[in-house]
Amino acid sequence: FGFAFAAGWLLQRQPALLAKIAGARWHNLLVAVACTVGCLAIVGLVPVLAPATDAGAQALYAGLYAIASWAWTLALLGLALRHCNGYSATRRYLSDASYWMYLVHMPLVMALQVWTSRMALPWWCEFPLLLAVATAMMLGSYEWFVRHGRIAREEQRGLRVLSVLPLP
């Protein structure tokens, strides 16, 4: 993940490179889909819980998987740069809430998994239910505790203190 983080950090202030990524979005999407199909052709759609025995197929799978991962990343980045480039209050709110959601999601999702495991529902019912409940709880806690809660008041107070300090 360190390499991906470094690549994103280096790209963030490079409008020419970002424009090239946006221009190559369909090419990257085609490569991503082709490599994903190749991976699925090697391992199949049904999980096999046994070690791989064919070293050649394993190496091919690893290569296709790596290429697919980067191609999906670049394709989705290009699509976002092209189609989500303007201001959106909803995207801004979700962006503001994202760090809080990252901080609180793990224990919440784990607790909700225990809760949904007792329901005896198929996974395709449990997963959207868990996702909806977790998202509502995370956004609600962000709204009450962070955006309009003590954290926001402390931040506002800190900004007021900084605004009266003389600049060096």
Side-chain angles (χ1 to χ4, degrees):
F1 295 115
F3 184 76
F5 177 83
W9 182 73
L10 291 170
L11 274 175
Q12 77 169 347
R13 302 282 186 219
Q14 302 292 326
L17 289 174
L18 291 171
K20 286 183 179 183
I21 290 170
R25 64 192 178 278
W26 297 116
H27 175 263
N28 287 323
L29 186 61
L30 180 65
V31 171
V33 169
C35 288
T36 301
V37 169
C39 285
L40 290 173
I42 293 170
V43 297
L45 293 174
V46 178
V48 177
L49 303 175
T53 56
D54 183 2
Q58 188 176 9
L60 179 62
Y61 178 83
L64 288 174
Y65 192 92
I67 294 167
S69 297
W70 278 102
W72 276 113
T73 300
L74 294 172
L76 293 173
L77 177 60
L79 287 166
L81 288 168
R82 175 67 177 92
H83 300 289
C84 300
N85 207 10
Y87 177 78
S88 165
T90 302
R91 282 195 310 265
R92 176 57 196 244
Y93 183 85
L94 291 173
S95 175
D96 290 347
S98 66
Y99 187 62
W100 174 257
M101 294 172 75
Y102 165 72
L103 290 176
V104 301
H105 86 280
M106 187 63 76
L108 179 61
V109 168
M110 290 174 71
L112 289 172
Q113 285 177 330
V114 171
W115 173 64
T116 57
S117 70
R118 297 180 180 152
M119 293 184 168
L121 294 171
W123 72 266
W124 49 270
C125 291
E126 285 182 13
F127 180 71
L129 176 65
L130 187 143
L131 189 63
V133 171
T135 302
M137 291 176 76
M138 288 185 288
L139 289 175
S141 67
Y142 169 74
E143 185 70 23
W144 294 321
F145 300 135
V146 179
R147 194 169 186 100
H148 298 293
R150 181 178 178 164
I151 296 172
R153 287 192 298 274
E154 292 295 324
E155 184 179 338
Q156 291 289 329
R157 190 172 66 93
L159 291 175
R160 280 196 299 269
V161 169
L162 288 176
S163 68
V164 296
L165 293 176
L167 293 174

